[in-house]
Every structure is written in C-alpha cells, then in structure tokens.
Amino acid sequence: MDTDTKRFNIPYAPTDPADLYPDTDGEPMAASDLHLEILIWLLQALKAHFAPRPDVYVSGDILTYYTEGNPRAVIAPDVLVSFGIGRKPRHTYKVWEEGKVPDFVMEFSSKTTYQNDLTDKMDIYATLGIPNYLLYDAEALYLPSPLIGFRLVDNDYVPIRPDVDGGIHSDVLGLDFHIRDRRLAVYDPVRQQWLQTLAEQQAARAETAEARAEQETITRQKAEEEVKRLREQLARSQAHTSSEKK
C-alpha cells in the first residue's frame, strides 16, 4: 500500500455531541458570595420540597439548549424547575430530548445582568413558553423591587402582583416567594410552612427532640419531687398520729 493510500485509510470518527453542546460556558455560577450562598440554599430547599415527587427536576446554572443543531441557542437559568421529566443527573438540558421546556425559571440579578434579565432573557423565556419567570436582587439595588415575577399570558409575560405581605406567588410551583429578614424565603401555603433544606430540617428535628427530652426531664423531676413531698407529708402525719396515741 503506497503512502497516499495509507494517508486516506482513516476510520471515521463521529463528532461527540458533548463537543457540539458543551456543559459549561466558562462563566461564574454567581455574581458574589452572597448570591451563591442564597442560590445554593434555594436549590437545596426546592429539592427537599419536591423530594417526594421523583418526576420533578430541579437544577441551577445548567446550560439549556432550545434549538437542535444550533449550539448558540442556549441559555443558563440560575434556577430551573421542570415537571414530568425525572430528576436523573444531567450535564445539559436539551429541550428536544426532554420533550418540553422548563416550567419555572429564576434569575439572580446583579449589576452586570439585571438589564439582560429584563430584556433579552425575558424575551427568550417568553418565546419558549416558560410559564413562570422570577427575578431576585439580593442587594436590592438593581431591580425595581428586590423580588419580581412574571406569568405567561398569551405568549407574553405579565407582572405577578405581590400579595399583602409582598410575596410573589408561583402558580406553577404552588409556592410563595418572599423577602424575609432581608433574605429570600419560600412559603408553602398548603402545608403552611417555610421551606427548609434537608440540613435545616434535620437540625430542626434535632432541636425539637432536644427540647422534648429536656421538657420530659423537667416533668420527671417535678413528678419525683411531688412524690417525695407526699411521702414526707405522709411520714409526718404518721409520726403525729403515733405521738397522739402515746
């Protein structure tokens, strides 16, 4: 076999889909430590809330490709919730593979992102047909309000009116988002309780168990003291009766 023949006798190497749709864009996950701390808390709290439902997928900062064959048609919501697709680990979210767009997205706005969050990103999410879009400004400096939300109506986003406590209700998630003690908080109106991460739930249970054990100890001590008092009273009464008989 001559050199030219050898040169072209090369096995075909198909393109790796991961090369066409990479799982990172090289951008940082959050604008600041505060953003990252609250973002991680929110993701963990939502995962704990939806843990009984294995069909619900919760993720953050995952590259979401929405047009097959066009890797530039991509966006990375800070928070993403999608129903009915299962919570298996994913490197990317490809709309044509999942069979649907996310049901809820949220952006943590900052000095460098808030304008895009209110324009281009909002347009993309509306065009895709994502029912709920929320924005949170941890510094309370850039958005008209630290927490704002939009609901999709006739292919356009309309503002979600805050409730009397300033909360933003997500009808898709069935949850109310609030600013509480200057931090983001989420309330479940059905269970009538604030969302917690698994770690917070475990700490709360431990604290409750400790308080219960302490209360049981106090109750037992009081009972023992009462029994001792009654016995002493009975002993005095018996001694008095014996004295009178003499």
Side-chain angles (χ1 to χ4, degrees):
M1 184 179 295
D2 59 29
T3 304
D4 289 340
T5 304
K6 290 181 179 180
R7 183 188 308 135
F8 294 104
N9 189 19
I10 301 174
Y12 170 69
T15 301
D16 187 343
D19 295 334
L20 185 59
Y21 305 105
D23 57 7
T24 179
D25 57 5
E27 295 294 328
M29 184 175 181
S32 67
D33 288 342
L34 177 62
H35 276 217
L36 184 60
E37 179 184 339
I38 299 175
L39 175 57
I40 291 174
W41 173 86
L42 177 59
L43 291 171
Q44 292 178 343
L46 289 174
K47 288 181 179 181
H49 175 73
F50 289 113
R53 297 182 54 180
D55 68 308
V56 181
Y57 177 64
V58 178
S59 186
D61 198 42
I62 187 170
L63 290 182
T64 302
Y65 293 93
Y66 49 89
T67 303
E68 186 174 9
N70 182 7
R72 293 186 178 182
V74 62
I75 199 163
D78 288 330
V79 178
L80 173 158
V81 181
S82 190
F83 295 98
I85 65 171
R87 56 171 176 254
K88 67 178 182 180
R90 293 165 170 82
H91 292 288
T92 59
Y93 189 110
K94 301 184 183 75
V95 171
W96 60 92
E97 289 185 357
E98 304 295 349
K100 59 172 295 186
V101 299
D103 297 279
F104 172 95
V105 293
M106 186 171 184
E107 296 291 353
F108 279 46
S109 298
S110 66
K111 182 178 180 179
T112 58
T113 68
Y114 79 96
Q115 291 181 330
N116 191 42
D117 293 342
L118 289 170
T119 54
D120 292 347
K121 277 192 176 181
M122 179 180 288
D123 291 342
I124 291 172
Y125 292 147
T127 300
L128 290 175
I130 296 175
N132 283 176
Y133 176 39
L134 269 63
L135 297 93
Y136 170 62
D137 177 2
E139 279 84 17
L141 293 174
Y142 309 110
L143 297 178
S145 174
L147 185 63
I148 57 178
F150 300 89
R151 182 175 62 253
L152 195 67
V153 177
D154 295 330
N155 301 318
D156 287 318
Y157 280 130
V158 297
I160 299 174
R161 181 177 298 179
D163 61 23
V164 293
D165 297 321
I168 299 295
H169 179 69
S170 167
D171 56 353
V172 170
L173 301 185
L175 299 172
D176 298 329
F177 289 72
H178 289 263
I179 302 297
R180 189 184 186 204
D181 298 329
R182 299 185 179 181
R183 299 287 291 258
L184 183 66
V186 187
Y187 185 74
D188 181 351
V190 175
R191 299 178 183 174
Q192 297 185 344
Q193 62 186 21
W194 295 95
L195 264 60
Q196 294 180 317
T197 66
L198 287 177
E200 289 172 333
Q201 292 176 13
Q202 292 169 355
R205 285 194 293 268
E207 184 176 347
T208 299
E210 183 179 349
R212 186 184 299 114
E214 183 178 350
Q215 184 59 45
E216 289 174 352
T217 299
I218 293 173
T219 301
R220 184 174 62 255
Q221 290 175 344
K222 287 183 177 180
E224 291 172 350
E225 290 173 359
E226 180 64 13
V227 169
K228 181 180 179 181
R229 185 187 67 80
L230 291 173
R231 286 177 176 173
E232 291 175 347
Q233 183 179 10
L234 178 60
R236 287 194 298 270
S237 177
Q238 290 175 341
H240 179 70
T241 300
S242 298
S243 176
E244 287 182 345
K245 286 181 179 181
K246 293 180 181 179

